[in-house]
Each structure stands twice: as C-alpha cells, then as structure tokens.
Amino acid sequence: MSSEQTPATPETAGPRPRRLTYAAALAALEGLALVAGGAWMLVEGLAGDPDDRQSAVTGGVTLIVLALLPLLAARGLLARRSWSRGPAVITQIMALPVAYNLIQADSVAIPAGIALAVVAVAALILLINPATTQALGIRGPGRAQDGKQ
C-alpha cells in the first residue's frame, strides 16, 4: 500500500493544524520566489545582454528546477504526508546560508536576505513543532512499533 493510499491514523485524523498550513505556505512562497528568480534570469539571459549568456540561462534553469523541492514539500505538507517534512526542513537549512550571503552583500540584497532568514527560521520552527510532527504522523525514535512514548 503506498503512502497516498494509507488511511489516516488517529494521530493524523482531524483538521490540519494551522502551524502545518503556515509551514506549507512558507515553503510554497520560497518555491515561487525561486521560480520567479529563475524565470527572470532566464529571460535576461535570452533577451537581455548579459556578460555570459550561457551562465545566465543555466542559472535560470537551475533555480527553476531547485524550486521543485519546496513546492513538492509544500504540497506534501498540505496533504499531511510524513515524507514532506524532510524536504521542507532541508529547504530551510539551505536557505540560511543564502540569506547570510545576501545580508553580507552590502547592496539592495540586504532586505531580501533579512526576509529570507526570517522566513527560513519561522518555517523551521513550524516544522519541528510537536503539533506538526503529530499531524504528519511522525513518531520519534523507538516509537515506530509500539506507538508508546
């Protein structure tokens, strides 16, 4: 039986916690931002006059492909799939060094870095919250078989 066919367990039954919905929204926001940034780089690379057209196109395509991770994670979080928390957490961890570099840029990228850092930290807090873990049906180590704490 696949994970999509698995019936809801008592831990995952009921309404979706707002924390889980907010975490999914933040992951989707990051994914959409990556798509927008990738599309902008791609258009600039194809239509504009970049220093290196091939790098601009490659960078744009790479950002669009990277956007799949947070977008799929957001979809999984909304559907309450336990596998989705891993990609969502990885996305946030990857966003933190990017935010740091943007903040260190000494340019107009500083506000973007601050915003990215705030979103990444907020999403991490939401994703590791016990209510989120319970809503996704994730059990801690040693609790997989007996279900006891």
mmCIF file of all heavy atoms in Angstrom, residues 48-103:
data_model
loop_
_atom_site.group_PDB
_atom_site.id
_atom_site.type_symbol
_atom_site.label_atom_id
_atom_site.label_comp_id
_atom_site.label_asym_id
_atom_site.label_seq_id
_atom_site.Cartn_x
_atom_site.Cartn_y
_atom_site.Cartn_z
ATOM 1 N N GLY A 48 18.105 39.680 -22.870
ATOM 2 C CA GLY A 48 18.939 40.817 -22.481
ATOM 3 C C GLY A 48 20.340 40.709 -23.048
ATOM 4 O O GLY A 48 20.613 39.946 -23.979
ATOM 5 N N ASP A 49 21.228 41.474 -22.448
ATOM 6 C CA ASP A 49 22.627 41.470 -22.873
ATOM 7 C C ASP A 49 23.510 41.149 -21.665
ATOM 8 O O ASP A 49 24.228 42.018 -21.167
ATOM 9 C CB ASP A 49 22.988 42.829 -23.469
ATOM 10 C CG ASP A 49 24.356 42.818 -24.130
ATOM 11 O OD1 ASP A 49 24.808 41.728 -24.539
ATOM 12 O OD2 ASP A 49 24.978 43.895 -24.229
ATOM 13 N N PRO A 50 23.450 39.880 -21.188
ATOM 14 C CA PRO A 50 24.261 39.531 -20.022
ATOM 15 C C PRO A 50 25.736 39.400 -20.395
ATOM 16 O O PRO A 50 26.090 39.261 -21.567
ATOM 17 C CB PRO A 50 23.690 38.188 -19.592
ATOM 18 C CG PRO A 50 23.200 37.580 -20.872
ATOM 19 C CD PRO A 50 22.689 38.751 -21.694
ATOM 20 N N ASP A 51 26.573 39.448 -19.386
ATOM 21 C CA ASP A 51 28.002 39.243 -19.615
ATOM 22 C C ASP A 51 28.268 37.844 -20.148
ATOM 23 O O ASP A 51 29.099 37.645 -21.020
ATOM 24 C CB ASP A 51 28.794 39.464 -18.327
ATOM 25 C CG ASP A 51 28.728 40.910 -17.859
ATOM 26 O OD1 ASP A 51 28.526 41.798 -18.709
ATOM 27 O OD2 ASP A 51 28.886 41.128 -16.643
ATOM 28 N N ASP A 52 27.566 36.874 -19.602
ATOM 29 C CA ASP A 52 27.742 35.486 -20.016
ATOM 30 C C ASP A 52 26.360 34.863 -20.186
ATOM 31 O O ASP A 52 25.729 34.451 -19.219
ATOM 32 C CB ASP A 52 28.567 34.732 -18.973
ATOM 33 C CG ASP A 52 28.893 33.314 -19.388
ATOM 34 O OD1 ASP A 52 28.532 32.913 -20.517
ATOM 35 O OD2 ASP A 52 29.517 32.601 -18.567
ATOM 36 N N ARG A 53 25.899 34.813 -21.428
ATOM 37 C CA ARG A 53 24.548 34.327 -21.734
ATOM 38 C C ARG A 53 24.351 32.886 -21.249
ATOM 39 O O ARG A 53 23.328 32.553 -20.659
ATOM 40 C CB ARG A 53 24.282 34.427 -23.224
ATOM 41 C CG ARG A 53 22.868 34.057 -23.618
ATOM 42 C CD ARG A 53 22.613 34.256 -25.106
ATOM 43 N NE ARG A 53 22.997 35.572 -25.581
ATOM 44 C CZ ARG A 53 22.208 36.646 -25.561
ATOM 45 N NH1 ARG A 53 20.994 36.533 -25.079
ATOM 46 N NH2 ARG A 53 22.627 37.806 -26.010
ATOM 47 N N GLN A 54 25.324 32.028 -21.468
ATOM 48 C CA GLN A 54 25.198 30.627 -21.090
ATOM 49 C C GLN A 54 25.050 30.479 -19.574
ATOM 50 O O GLN A 54 24.234 29.699 -19.095
ATOM 51 C CB GLN A 54 26.403 29.825 -21.581
ATOM 52 C CG GLN A 54 26.263 28.354 -21.305
ATOM 53 C CD GLN A 54 27.424 27.545 -21.873
ATOM 54 O OE1 GLN A 54 28.322 28.093 -22.480
ATOM 55 N NE2 GLN A 54 27.386 26.240 -21.671
ATOM 56 N N SER A 55 25.802 31.227 -18.800
ATOM 57 C CA SER A 55 25.689 31.156 -17.332
ATOM 58 C C SER A 55 24.340 31.662 -16.850
ATOM 59 O O SER A 55 23.767 31.107 -15.909
ATOM 60 C CB SER A 55 26.803 31.966 -16.679
ATOM 61 O OG SER A 55 28.039 31.360 -16.905
ATOM 62 N N ALA A 56 23.832 32.721 -17.492
ATOM 63 C CA ALA A 56 22.529 33.259 -17.098
ATOM 64 C C ALA A 56 21.422 32.247 -17.371
ATOM 65 O O ALA A 56 20.538 32.033 -16.524
ATOM 66 C CB ALA A 56 22.255 34.559 -17.836
ATOM 67 N N VAL A 57 21.465 31.611 -18.527
ATOM 68 C CA VAL A 57 20.445 30.613 -18.861
ATOM 69 C C VAL A 57 20.575 29.399 -17.941
ATOM 70 O O VAL A 57 19.578 28.906 -17.411
ATOM 71 C CB VAL A 57 20.556 30.200 -20.347
ATOM 72 C CG1 VAL A 57 19.657 29.012 -20.658
ATOM 73 C CG2 VAL A 57 20.203 31.383 -21.243
ATOM 74 N N THR A 58 21.784 28.934 -17.721
ATOM 75 C CA THR A 58 21.994 27.793 -16.834
ATOM 76 C C THR A 58 21.536 28.105 -15.416
ATOM 77 O O THR A 58 20.887 27.280 -14.763
ATOM 78 C CB THR A 58 23.480 27.381 -16.828
ATOM 79 O OG1 THR A 58 23.873 27.074 -18.163
ATOM 80 C CG2 THR A 58 23.717 26.185 -15.935
ATOM 81 N N GLY A 59 21.860 29.294 -14.926
ATOM 82 C CA GLY A 59 21.421 29.699 -13.593
ATOM 83 C C GLY A 59 19.910 29.765 -13.484
ATOM 84 O O GLY A 59 19.328 29.336 -12.474
ATOM 85 N N GLY A 60 19.257 30.297 -14.510
ATOM 86 C CA GLY A 60 17.796 30.383 -14.501
ATOM 87 C C GLY A 60 17.135 29.019 -14.484
ATOM 88 O O GLY A 60 16.211 28.773 -13.703
ATOM 89 N N VAL A 61 17.620 28.120 -15.326
ATOM 90 C CA VAL A 61 17.063 26.763 -15.366
ATOM 91 C C VAL A 61 17.322 26.058 -14.033
ATOM 92 O O VAL A 61 16.448 25.362 -13.504
ATOM 93 C CB VAL A 61 17.651 25.970 -16.552
ATOM 94 C CG1 VAL A 61 17.274 24.502 -16.479
ATOM 95 C CG2 VAL A 61 17.181 26.568 -17.873
ATOM 96 N N THR A 62 18.499 26.242 -13.468
ATOM 97 C CA THR A 62 18.831 25.618 -12.185
ATOM 98 C C THR A 62 17.892 26.087 -11.083
ATOM 99 O O THR A 62 17.391 25.283 -10.285
ATOM 100 C CB THR A 62 20.296 25.916 -11.801
ATOM 101 O OG1 THR A 62 21.147 25.409 -12.824
ATOM 102 C CG2 THR A 62 20.656 25.286 -10.475
ATOM 103 N N LEU A 63 17.628 27.388 -11.018
ATOM 104 C CA LEU A 63 16.715 27.898 -9.988
ATOM 105 C C LEU A 63 15.302 27.348 -10.163
ATOM 106 O O LEU A 63 14.633 27.014 -9.177
ATOM 107 C CB LEU A 63 16.682 29.425 -10.017
ATOM 108 C CG LEU A 63 17.874 30.137 -9.398
ATOM 109 C CD1 LEU A 63 17.697 31.652 -9.505
ATOM 110 C CD2 LEU A 63 18.060 29.739 -7.955
ATOM 111 N N ILE A 64 14.863 27.241 -11.400
ATOM 112 C CA ILE A 64 13.517 26.709 -11.643
ATOM 113 C C ILE A 64 13.441 25.245 -11.220
ATOM 114 O O ILE A 64 12.464 24.813 -10.600
ATOM 115 C CB ILE A 64 13.118 26.905 -13.121
ATOM 116 C CG1 ILE A 64 12.924 28.409 -13.396
ATOM 117 C CG2 ILE A 64 11.852 26.131 -13.458
ATOM 118 C CD1 ILE A 64 12.762 28.763 -14.855
ATOM 119 N N VAL A 65 14.474 24.471 -11.512
ATOM 120 C CA VAL A 65 14.494 23.058 -11.098
ATOM 121 C C VAL A 65 14.579 22.948 -9.572
ATOM 122 O O VAL A 65 13.896 22.122 -8.959
ATOM 123 C CB VAL A 65 15.651 22.301 -11.791
ATOM 124 C CG1 VAL A 65 15.833 20.910 -11.206
ATOM 125 C CG2 VAL A 65 15.396 22.219 -13.287
ATOM 126 N N LEU A 66 15.401 23.801 -8.942
ATOM 127 C CA LEU A 66 15.502 23.787 -7.479
ATOM 128 C C LEU A 66 14.181 24.154 -6.802
ATOM 129 O O LEU A 66 13.930 23.756 -5.667
ATOM 130 C CB LEU A 66 16.599 24.735 -7.010
ATOM 131 C CG LEU A 66 18.030 24.252 -7.176
ATOM 132 C CD1 LEU A 66 19.011 25.358 -6.789
ATOM 133 C CD2 LEU A 66 18.282 23.019 -6.330
ATOM 134 N N ALA A 67 13.346 24.909 -7.489
ATOM 135 C CA ALA A 67 12.049 25.304 -6.934
ATOM 136 C C ALA A 67 11.139 24.104 -6.722
ATOM 137 O O ALA A 67 10.202 24.170 -5.913
ATOM 138 C CB ALA A 67 11.372 26.320 -7.849
ATOM 139 N N LEU A 68 11.407 23.009 -7.413
ATOM 140 C CA LEU A 68 10.563 21.821 -7.260
ATOM 141 C C LEU A 68 10.598 21.269 -5.841
ATOM 142 O O LEU A 68 9.585 20.789 -5.336
ATOM 143 C CB LEU A 68 10.989 20.737 -8.249
ATOM 144 C CG LEU A 68 10.743 21.043 -9.719
ATOM 145 C CD1 LEU A 68 11.306 19.938 -10.591
ATOM 146 C CD2 LEU A 68 9.262 21.246 -9.986
ATOM 147 N N LEU A 69 11.745 21.346 -5.168
ATOM 148 C CA LEU A 69 11.867 20.791 -3.813
ATOM 149 C C LEU A 69 10.899 21.459 -2.832
ATOM 150 O O LEU A 69 10.074 20.774 -2.214
ATOM 151 C CB LEU A 69 13.307 20.870 -3.322
ATOM 152 C CG LEU A 69 13.584 20.243 -1.959
ATOM 153 C CD1 LEU A 69 13.353 18.746 -2.007
ATOM 154 C CD2 LEU A 69 15.003 20.543 -1.531
ATOM 155 N N PRO A 70 10.937 22.786 -2.663
ATOM 156 C CA PRO A 70 9.982 23.372 -1.714
ATOM 157 C C PRO A 70 8.532 23.295 -2.188
ATOM 158 O O PRO A 70 7.621 23.191 -1.365
ATOM 159 C CB PRO A 70 10.449 24.821 -1.573
ATOM 160 C CG PRO A 70 11.284 25.089 -2.765
ATOM 161 C CD PRO A 70 11.883 23.777 -3.166
ATOM 162 N N LEU A 71 8.303 23.321 -3.500
ATOM 163 C CA LEU A 71 6.924 23.229 -3.984
ATOM 164 C C LEU A 71 6.337 21.846 -3.729
ATOM 165 O O LEU A 71 5.182 21.730 -3.295
ATOM 166 C CB LEU A 71 6.855 23.586 -5.471
ATOM 167 C CG LEU A 71 7.120 25.054 -5.798
ATOM 168 C CD1 LEU A 71 7.188 25.260 -7.311
ATOM 169 C CD2 LEU A 71 6.064 25.954 -5.176
ATOM 170 N N LEU A 72 7.119 20.803 -3.970
ATOM 171 C CA LEU A 72 6.642 19.450 -3.664
ATOM 172 C C LEU A 72 6.481 19.250 -2.163
ATOM 173 O O LEU A 72 5.536 18.591 -1.714
ATOM 174 C CB LEU A 72 7.599 18.413 -4.245
ATOM 175 C CG LEU A 72 7.579 18.268 -5.767
ATOM 176 C CD1 LEU A 72 8.687 17.332 -6.234
ATOM 177 C CD2 LEU A 72 6.224 17.767 -6.233
ATOM 178 N N ALA A 73 7.404 19.816 -1.393
ATOM 179 C CA ALA A 73 7.288 19.718 0.065
ATOM 180 C C ALA A 73 6.021 20.413 0.555
ATOM 181 O O ALA A 73 5.312 19.883 1.418
ATOM 182 C CB ALA A 73 8.519 20.323 0.733
ATOM 183 N N ALA A 74 5.716 21.579 0.005
ATOM 184 C CA ALA A 74 4.504 22.303 0.405
ATOM 185 C C ALA A 74 3.259 21.490 0.082
ATOM 186 O O ALA A 74 2.327 21.400 0.896
ATOM 187 C CB ALA A 74 4.454 23.660 -0.292
ATOM 188 N N ARG A 75 3.250 20.883 -1.084
ATOM 189 C CA ARG A 75 2.099 20.065 -1.477
ATOM 190 C C ARG A 75 1.949 18.880 -0.528
ATOM 191 O O ARG A 75 0.848 18.544 -0.105
ATOM 192 C CB ARG A 75 2.278 19.577 -2.912
ATOM 193 C CG ARG A 75 1.108 18.793 -3.428
ATOM 194 C CD ARG A 75 1.243 18.522 -4.918
ATOM 195 N NE ARG A 75 0.067 17.854 -5.400
ATOM 196 C CZ ARG A 75 0.060 16.586 -5.799
ATOM 197 N NH1 ARG A 75 1.163 15.876 -5.779
ATOM 198 N NH2 ARG A 75 -1.043 16.042 -6.237
ATOM 199 N N GLY A 76 3.069 18.250 -0.198
ATOM 200 C CA GLY A 76 3.032 17.125 0.730
ATOM 201 C C GLY A 76 2.594 17.532 2.131
ATOM 202 O O GLY A 76 1.860 16.808 2.793
ATOM 203 N N LEU A 77 3.053 18.694 2.585
ATOM 204 C CA LEU A 77 2.633 19.174 3.911
ATOM 205 C C LEU A 77 1.136 19.420 3.948
ATOM 206 O O LEU A 77 0.466 19.073 4.928
ATOM 207 C CB LEU A 77 3.393 20.455 4.278
ATOM 208 C CG LEU A 77 4.877 20.281 4.602
ATOM 209 C CD1 LEU A 77 5.551 21.649 4.715
ATOM 210 C CD2 LEU A 77 5.078 19.478 5.873
ATOM 211 N N LEU A 78 0.601 20.021 2.895
ATOM 212 C CA LEU A 78 -0.843 20.262 2.856
ATOM 213 C C LEU A 78 -1.631 18.960 2.831
ATOM 214 O O LEU A 78 -2.719 18.875 3.390
ATOM 215 C CB LEU A 78 -1.211 21.122 1.651
ATOM 216 C CG LEU A 78 -0.836 22.590 1.758
ATOM 217 C CD1 LEU A 78 -1.138 23.321 0.461
ATOM 218 C CD2 LEU A 78 -1.560 23.260 2.920
ATOM 219 N N ALA A 79 -1.070 17.940 2.191
ATOM 220 C CA ALA A 79 -1.724 16.630 2.134
ATOM 221 C C ALA A 79 -1.406 15.769 3.354
ATOM 222 O O ALA A 79 -1.850 14.629 3.433
ATOM 223 C CB ALA A 79 -1.304 15.905 0.855
ATOM 224 N N ARG A 80 -0.614 16.311 4.285
ATOM 225 C CA ARG A 80 -0.237 15.636 5.527
ATOM 226 C C ARG A 80 0.542 14.354 5.269
ATOM 227 O O ARG A 80 0.316 13.335 5.912
ATOM 228 C CB ARG A 80 -1.465 15.384 6.388
ATOM 229 C CG ARG A 80 -2.092 16.682 6.854
ATOM 230 C CD ARG A 80 -3.382 16.493 7.538
ATOM 231 N NE ARG A 80 -3.187 16.046 8.921
ATOM 232 C CZ ARG A 80 -4.141 16.018 9.809
ATOM 233 N NH1 ARG A 80 -5.337 16.427 9.495
ATOM 234 N NH2 ARG A 80 -3.910 15.596 11.020
ATOM 235 N N ARG A 81 1.486 14.421 4.344
ATOM 236 C CA ARG A 81 2.365 13.289 4.054
ATOM 237 C C ARG A 81 3.613 13.414 4.909
ATOM 238 O O ARG A 81 4.280 14.444 4.887
ATOM 239 C CB ARG A 81 2.756 13.260 2.576
ATOM 240 C CG ARG A 81 1.592 13.226 1.631
ATOM 241 C CD ARG A 81 0.929 11.856 1.690
ATOM 242 N NE ARG A 81 -0.174 11.803 0.747
ATOM 243 C CZ ARG A 81 -1.396 11.455 1.076
ATOM 244 N NH1 ARG A 81 -1.686 11.141 2.321
ATOM 245 N NH2 ARG A 81 -2.341 11.412 0.180
ATOM 246 N N SER A 82 3.960 12.373 5.643
ATOM 247 C CA SER A 82 5.094 12.453 6.565
ATOM 248 C C SER A 82 6.419 12.675 5.848
ATOM 249 O O SER A 82 7.316 13.312 6.391
ATOM 250 C CB SER A 82 5.163 11.194 7.430
ATOM 251 O OG SER A 82 5.349 10.049 6.623
ATOM 252 N N TRP A 83 6.566 12.191 4.617
ATOM 253 C CA TRP A 83 7.815 12.352 3.869
ATOM 254 C C TRP A 83 8.121 13.816 3.564
ATOM 255 O O TRP A 83 9.257 14.185 3.327
ATOM 256 C CB TRP A 83 7.785 11.569 2.555
ATOM 257 C CG TRP A 83 6.684 11.993 1.624
ATOM 258 C CD1 TRP A 83 5.476 11.384 1.469
ATOM 259 C CD2 TRP A 83 6.675 13.117 0.735
ATOM 260 N NE1 TRP A 83 4.710 12.070 0.543
ATOM 261 C CE2 TRP A 83 5.430 13.135 0.075
ATOM 262 C CE3 TRP A 83 7.596 14.109 0.433
ATOM 263 C CZ2 TRP A 83 5.085 14.102 -0.863
ATOM 264 C CZ3 TRP A 83 7.252 15.085 -0.503
ATOM 265 C CH2 TRP A 83 6.010 15.069 -1.142
ATOM 266 N N SER A 84 7.109 14.662 3.568
ATOM 267 C CA SER A 84 7.278 16.052 3.114
ATOM 268 C C SER A 84 8.052 16.926 4.105
ATOM 269 O O SER A 84 8.592 17.954 3.712
ATOM 270 C CB SER A 84 5.923 16.680 2.822
ATOM 271 O OG SER A 84 5.139 16.718 3.996
ATOM 272 N N ARG A 85 8.107 16.527 5.357
ATOM 273 C CA ARG A 85 8.818 17.359 6.325
ATOM 274 C C ARG A 85 10.312 17.387 6.047
ATOM 275 O O ARG A 85 10.957 18.425 6.186
ATOM 276 C CB ARG A 85 8.551 16.903 7.754
ATOM 277 C CG ARG A 85 9.094 17.915 8.768
ATOM 278 C CD ARG A 85 8.726 17.565 10.148
ATOM 279 N NE ARG A 85 9.675 16.585 10.665
ATOM 280 C CZ ARG A 85 9.933 16.419 11.947
ATOM 281 N NH1 ARG A 85 9.300 17.147 12.840
ATOM 282 N NH2 ARG A 85 10.794 15.523 12.336
ATOM 283 N N GLY A 86 10.895 16.276 5.628
ATOM 284 C CA GLY A 86 12.329 16.226 5.325
ATOM 285 C C GLY A 86 12.742 17.234 4.256
ATOM 286 O O GLY A 86 13.621 18.064 4.487
ATOM 287 N N PRO A 87 12.123 17.211 3.070
ATOM 288 C CA PRO A 87 12.478 18.198 2.049
ATOM 289 C C PRO A 87 12.204 19.639 2.484
ATOM 290 O O PRO A 87 12.950 20.556 2.124
ATOM 291 C CB PRO A 87 11.603 17.829 0.851
ATOM 292 C CG PRO A 87 11.243 16.411 1.051
ATOM 293 C CD PRO A 87 11.223 16.188 2.532
ATOM 294 N N ALA A 88 11.157 19.831 3.279
ATOM 295 C CA ALA A 88 10.858 21.184 3.748
ATOM 296 C C ALA A 88 11.949 21.679 4.700
ATOM 297 O O ALA A 88 12.393 22.831 4.609
ATOM 298 C CB ALA A 88 9.492 21.218 4.434
ATOM 299 N N VAL A 89 12.404 20.816 5.601
ATOM 300 C CA VAL A 89 13.479 21.194 6.530
ATOM 301 C C VAL A 89 14.775 21.440 5.767
ATOM 302 O O VAL A 89 15.494 22.415 6.032
ATOM 303 C CB VAL A 89 13.649 20.122 7.630
ATOM 304 C CG1 VAL A 89 14.924 20.342 8.423
ATOM 305 C CG2 VAL A 89 12.444 20.117 8.565
ATOM 306 N N ILE A 90 15.084 20.573 4.814
ATOM 307 C CA ILE A 90 16.305 20.745 4.016
ATOM 308 C C ILE A 90 16.273 22.077 3.274
ATOM 309 O O ILE A 90 17.284 22.787 3.201
ATOM 310 C CB ILE A 90 16.475 19.559 3.042
ATOM 311 C CG1 ILE A 90 16.852 18.309 3.826
ATOM 312 C CG2 ILE A 90 17.519 19.863 1.970
ATOM 313 C CD1 ILE A 90 16.790 17.038 3.027
ATOM 314 N N THR A 91 15.121 22.432 2.735
ATOM 315 C CA THR A 91 14.992 23.714 2.030
ATOM 316 C C THR A 91 15.314 24.877 2.961
ATOM 317 O O THR A 91 16.024 25.817 2.576
ATOM 318 C CB THR A 91 13.565 23.870 1.470
ATOM 319 O OG1 THR A 91 13.315 22.813 0.544
ATOM 320 C CG2 THR A 91 13.385 25.198 0.781
ATOM 321 N N GLN A 92 14.814 24.819 4.189
ATOM 322 C CA GLN A 92 15.055 25.913 5.131
ATOM 323 C C GLN A 92 16.521 25.982 5.539
ATOM 324 O O GLN A 92 17.097 27.064 5.654
ATOM 325 C CB GLN A 92 14.176 25.762 6.374
ATOM 326 C CG GLN A 92 12.701 25.600 6.106
ATOM 327 C CD GLN A 92 12.157 26.482 5.018
ATOM 328 O OE1 GLN A 92 12.441 27.668 4.962
ATOM 329 N NE2 GLN A 92 11.367 25.905 4.134
ATOM 330 N N ILE A 93 17.125 24.830 5.743
ATOM 331 C CA ILE A 93 18.545 24.799 6.116
ATOM 332 C C ILE A 93 19.406 25.343 4.977
ATOM 333 O O ILE A 93 20.373 26.067 5.207
ATOM 334 C CB ILE A 93 18.959 23.368 6.531
ATOM 335 C CG1 ILE A 93 18.273 23.012 7.857
ATOM 336 C CG2 ILE A 93 20.469 23.241 6.644
ATOM 337 C CD1 ILE A 93 18.424 21.570 8.271
ATOM 338 N N MET A 94 19.037 25.024 3.735
ATOM 339 C CA MET A 94 19.779 25.555 2.585
ATOM 340 C C MET A 94 19.559 27.059 2.421
ATOM 341 O O MET A 94 20.427 27.771 1.915
ATOM 342 C CB MET A 94 19.371 24.827 1.301
ATOM 343 C CG MET A 94 19.864 23.415 1.235
ATOM 344 S SD MET A 94 19.428 22.422 -0.232
ATOM 345 C CE MET A 94 18.423 23.432 -1.228
ATOM 346 N N ALA A 95 18.417 27.554 2.855
ATOM 347 C CA ALA A 95 18.109 28.971 2.701
ATOM 348 C C ALA A 95 18.915 29.841 3.668
ATOM 349 O O ALA A 95 19.199 31.006 3.357
ATOM 350 C CB ALA A 95 16.612 29.212 2.921
ATOM 351 N N LEU A 96 19.304 29.309 4.813
ATOM 352 C CA LEU A 96 20.013 30.118 5.804
ATOM 353 C C LEU A 96 21.371 30.631 5.317
ATOM 354 O O LEU A 96 21.652 31.833 5.471
ATOM 355 C CB LEU A 96 20.134 29.356 7.118
ATOM 356 C CG LEU A 96 18.803 29.174 7.863
ATOM 357 C CD1 LEU A 96 18.975 28.252 9.056
ATOM 358 C CD2 LEU A 96 18.223 30.511 8.270
ATOM 359 N N PRO A 97 22.240 29.815 4.701
ATOM 360 C CA PRO A 97 23.497 30.374 4.180
ATOM 361 C C PRO A 97 23.272 31.362 3.030
ATOM 362 O O PRO A 97 24.022 32.326 2.885
ATOM 363 C CB PRO A 97 24.288 29.157 3.694
ATOM 364 C CG PRO A 97 23.610 27.972 4.241
ATOM 365 C CD PRO A 97 22.232 28.363 4.622
ATOM 366 N N VAL A 98 22.234 31.119 2.239
ATOM 367 C CA VAL A 98 21.914 32.065 1.160
ATOM 368 C C VAL A 98 21.515 33.406 1.767
ATOM 369 O O VAL A 98 21.958 34.468 1.312
ATOM 370 C CB VAL A 98 20.798 31.511 0.252
ATOM 371 C CG1 VAL A 98 20.346 32.544 -0.766
ATOM 372 C CG2 VAL A 98 21.260 30.237 -0.439
ATOM 373 N N ALA A 99 20.693 33.365 2.806
ATOM 374 C CA ALA A 99 20.286 34.600 3.481
ATOM 375 C C ALA A 99 21.496 35.316 4.070
ATOM 376 O O ALA A 99 21.617 36.548 3.953
ATOM 377 C CB ALA A 99 19.270 34.289 4.576
ATOM 378 N N TYR A 100 22.397 34.574 4.666
ATOM 379 C CA TYR A 100 23.604 35.170 5.246
ATOM 380 C C TYR A 100 24.430 35.874 4.170
ATOM 381 O O TYR A 100 24.905 36.994 4.361
ATOM 382 C CB TYR A 100 24.433 34.088 5.947
ATOM 383 C CG TYR A 100 25.721 34.614 6.525
ATOM 384 C CD1 TYR A 100 25.722 35.322 7.713
ATOM 385 C CD2 TYR A 100 26.926 34.419 5.869
ATOM 386 C CE1 TYR A 100 26.906 35.818 8.248
ATOM 387 C CE2 TYR A 100 28.112 34.909 6.386
ATOM 388 C CZ TYR A 100 28.091 35.612 7.571
ATOM 389 O OH TYR A 100 29.263 36.106 8.087
ATOM 390 N N ASN A 101 24.611 35.213 3.034
ATOM 391 C CA ASN A 101 25.368 35.833 1.938
ATOM 392 C C ASN A 101 24.683 37.077 1.397
ATOM 393 O O ASN A 101 25.350 38.051 1.036
ATOM 394 C CB ASN A 101 25.610 34.823 0.811
ATOM 395 C CG ASN A 101 26.681 33.825 1.153
ATOM 396 O OD1 ASN A 101 27.581 34.111 1.941
ATOM 397 N ND2 ASN A 101 26.579 32.635 0.587
ATOM 398 N N LEU A 102 23.369 37.056 1.331
ATOM 399 C CA LEU A 102 22.641 38.243 0.864
ATOM 400 C C LEU A 102 22.797 39.397 1.850
ATOM 401 O O LEU A 102 22.933 40.556 1.445
ATOM 402 C CB LEU A 102 21.158 37.917 0.663
ATOM 403 C CG LEU A 102 20.809 37.024 -0.527
ATOM 404 C CD1 LEU A 102 19.342 36.635 -0.493
ATOM 405 C CD2 LEU A 102 21.154 37.703 -1.838
ATOM 406 N N ILE A 103 22.778 39.086 3.130
ATOM 407 C CA ILE A 103 22.940 40.130 4.151
ATOM 408 C C ILE A 103 24.347 40.720 4.102
ATOM 409 O O ILE A 103 24.536 41.911 4.316
ATOM 410 C CB ILE A 103 22.611 39.562 5.551
ATOM 411 C CG1 ILE A 103 21.109 39.262 5.640
ATOM 412 C CG2 ILE A 103 23.030 40.524 6.647
ATOM 413 C CD1 ILE A 103 20.704 38.487 6.872
#
